[in-house]
Amino acid sequence: MRLSDLRGRTVAVWGAGREGRAAVTAIAAHGPADLVVVDDSANFLTLPWEGPLAEAAPLVTGETGFDRLAAADVVVRSPGVPNTHPWMVELRRRAVPVTQGSALWMADHADRTVGVTGSKGKSTTSSLISHLLTAMDRPNVFGGNIGVPLLDLPEAELYVLELSSYQCADLTDSPRVAVVTALFPEHLDAHGGEREYYQDKLNLLAYGPRTVVVNGADPRLALELGDRAAVRAGSTDTANVATGPDGTPWFHLVDQPLFPRAVLPLVGRHNEGNLCVALAVLDALGVDVVARKDTLALAVAEFQGLAHRLTEIPDPSGLTFVDDTLATSPYAAMHAIDAYEGRPLTVIVGGTDRGLDYTPLREHLAEREITVIGIPDSGPRIVEALAGLPTVRTELADDLVAAVALSRKLTPAGGVVLLSPAAPSYGRFRNFEHRSEVFAQAVADTAR
């Protein structure tokens, strides 16, 4: 379904946030017979619905909104509306067509798009791809889950998109290059279960992309893909890390050395994998990676990384404080912990409790000397899951600020204090940015 297919039809946009606003503006330009916006979650944080938006579509709030959704020819839901929402269940039962702005956009732009998804690494990898393409004189527009709705993107010859599992779920067109960085259980409450989550995530690959690029080192991803044709980054027949000409780790394309691992400023083995995926995408797009390796090395060295992802905060004490607030699952926290292997480490965990299984984290920490501080809401349950591990010290704190103060007392000189919560931020914080702000302010305040 394309935007042009909505002409003359009754359309209900579900959600009045950033995505919903973009959808109304785009759909209104295509002349629907009737256009309405439904917001069943309005609260004091909701932005006013006024001006051109209100002129284009009236806003219906509360329970009465379902009748407008059910009466529509097409419902365009925002990514934040979960598959498990009772209204979604009923709309499916009634066979009401439901799509998203992302799917409408992709129908017209798939052939010019690199789409990147994954349970971990999609933000860094998509940003790297865009950054490196620009360095290779391949102008592109970067958007998607980073905060720019697809329907707000300008026209361009090439797009690089970060796509969430929610955005992938309703796609009926695959991008030219479809990229998956990792798979592990996430957002199960919104998707309905682990199997449903994987199906929604991998829907990115379901409609004939020209090229599929995946992280070849991810075991669950390999299991889900089976024998499907894909470029498996990290293997010896594509971009990989191996011993270079000076005896240290180098990035390679097949057997051709490109540049030393030390060029990449991002810590962690997982970020090596992210760059391998990005290099494999450039190769798939026809960039002569070997011939332009020197320019690529400069671009890699200049890459700053993204905020809230292993972002180090300077501190006069000699401790290294690290903001990894976007690590909202145990698997993401495990990657972050591995990035600081060999240094004394205190990890602050806890946030919204979605009932996740923390057994994988326990198994990962079984032989590590580490301190773990749990904060509400899920922190006590995570700490309980780690009980009995002889090399893991566990503590509880009343909140994030108290945890930072406690970490200063417990972490040896030269050590690392890592906020990698293994849980989302909502409930006690406005969003993940707010959690980062509180962490940074606590680091500054406790340094005095």
Side-chain angles (χ1 to χ4, degrees):
M1 184 182 296
R2 290 175 161 78
L3 279 167
S4 58
D5 295 329
L6 302 181
R7 184 180 303 278
R9 306 182 75 178
T10 299
V11 181
V13 173
W14 188 0
R18 182 165 48 199
E19 291 278 351
R21 289 163 185 262
V24 165
T25 300
I27 294 167
H30 284 77
D34 184 64
L35 181 59
V36 65
V37 177
V38 172
D39 185 3
D40 63 317
S41 60
N43 57 39
F44 69 96
L45 294 173
T46 302
L47 295 172
W49 191 262
E50 56 191 15
L53 288 170
E55 294 173 9
L59 175 66
V60 177
T61 60
E63 292 297 320
T64 59
F66 177 76
D67 293 336
R68 301 303 298 269
L69 296 176
D73 295 327
V74 178
V75 172
V76 180
R77 64 165 170 160
S78 295
V81 176
N83 278 330
T84 52
H85 193 296
W87 290 3
M88 275 293 295
V89 175
E90 181 60 17
L91 290 173
R92 287 196 193 97
R93 191 188 70 79
R94 299 188 186 193
V96 177
V98 179
T99 186
Q100 286 187 49
S102 300
L104 294 169
W105 182 94
M106 190 69 77
D108 287 319
H109 299 87
D111 196 52
R112 291 177 273 162
T113 299
V114 177
V116 183
T117 196
S119 305
K120 177 71 176 175
K122 62 183 179 295
S123 300
T124 297
T125 302
S126 56
S127 183
L128 265 169
I129 293 168
S130 177
H131 174 74
L132 296 180
L133 283 171
T134 300
M136 295 292 99
D137 307 313
R138 297 284 297 273
N140 62 92
V141 169
F142 184 36
N145 192 51
I146 60 165
V148 183
L150 273 60
L151 289 173
D152 276 346
L153 296 178
E155 281 298 310
E157 293 184 6
L158 182 62
Y159 298 89
V160 179
L161 305 180
E162 177 197 335
L163 298 170
S164 69
S165 54
Y166 310 121
Q167 290 171 306
C168 291
D170 289 337
L171 294 179
T172 53
D173 299 86
S174 291
R176 171 182 174 181
V177 180
V179 182
V180 187
T181 60
L183 274 186
F184 52 74
E186 261 277 51
H187 309 301
L188 304 188
D189 52 341
H191 290 273
E194 185 171 347
R195 175 53 41 201
E196 291 80 2
Y197 168 68
Y198 295 154
Q199 288 176 344
D200 286 344
K201 202 75 162 167
L202 295 179
N203 191 48
L204 182 74
L205 315 181
Y207 300 96
R210 289 194 207 174
T211 306
V212 174
V213 179
V214 301
N215 174 6
D218 186 275
R220 186 173 281 104
L221 182 51
L223 182 64
E224 292 293 326
L225 290 175
D227 59 359
R228 179 182 184 128
V231 177
R232 299 174 190 263
S235 60
T236 55
D237 58 352
T238 181
N240 62 86
V241 178
T243 302
D246 62 357
T248 66
W250 277 53
F251 287 97
H252 289 68
L253 185 65
V254 192
D255 59 353
Q256 295 296 307
L258 300 177
F259 42 81
R261 163 62 178 91
V263 167
L264 178 65
L266 307 183
V267 300
R269 292 289 298 276
H270 64 292
N271 279 318
E272 294 176 12
N274 291 338
L275 180 53
C276 285
V277 171
L279 292 170
V281 169
L282 264 64
D283 183 53
L285 289 172
V287 174
D288 192 335
V289 172
V290 175
R292 304 201 65 185
K293 61 184 180 182
D294 292 341
T295 303
L296 277 169
L298 288 173
V300 169
E302 292 170 353
F303 185 72
Q304 297 298 309
L306 303 175
H308 320 299
R309 297 165 180 84
L310 293 178
T311 303
E312 297 188 356
I313 302 172
D315 189 75
S317 68
L319 295 175
T320 301
F321 287 85
V322 182
D323 173 13
D324 194 41
T325 191
L326 281 175
T328 57
S329 77
Y331 297 91
M334 286 151 53
H335 282 302
I337 289 166
D338 287 349
Y340 290 95
E341 188 173 5
R343 296 181 64 181
L345 181 61
T346 298
V347 184
I348 300 173
V349 298
T352 307
D353 195 341
R354 297 177 296 169
L356 292 178
D357 179 12
Y358 288 100
T359 302
L361 181 62
R362 176 187 175 86
E363 294 171 351
H364 196 70
L365 299 182
E367 297 181 1
R368 294 173 183 257
E369 291 190 9
I370 191 171
T371 299
V372 177
I373 302 175
I375 60 175
D377 294 314
S378 61
R381 195 165 67 81
I382 298 173
V383 164
E384 182 180 356
L386 302 178
L389 293 179
T391 58
V392 178
R393 175 177 182 174
T394 58
E395 302 282 348
L396 293 175
D398 291 337
D399 54 33
L400 181 54
V401 174
V404 170
L406 180 58
S407 72
R408 287 192 178 276
K409 300 176 182 177
L410 301 179
T411 310
V416 176
V417 177
L418 172 64
L419 172 63
S420 195
S425 59
Y426 45 83
R428 292 180 178 265
F429 301 94
R430 292 189 302 275
N431 46 41
F432 68 87
E433 292 99 339
H434 183 211
R435 181 160 64 182
S436 288
E437 292 169 7
V438 171
F439 179 62
Q441 189 61 53
V443 171
D445 290 345
T446 56
R448 296 169 185 167

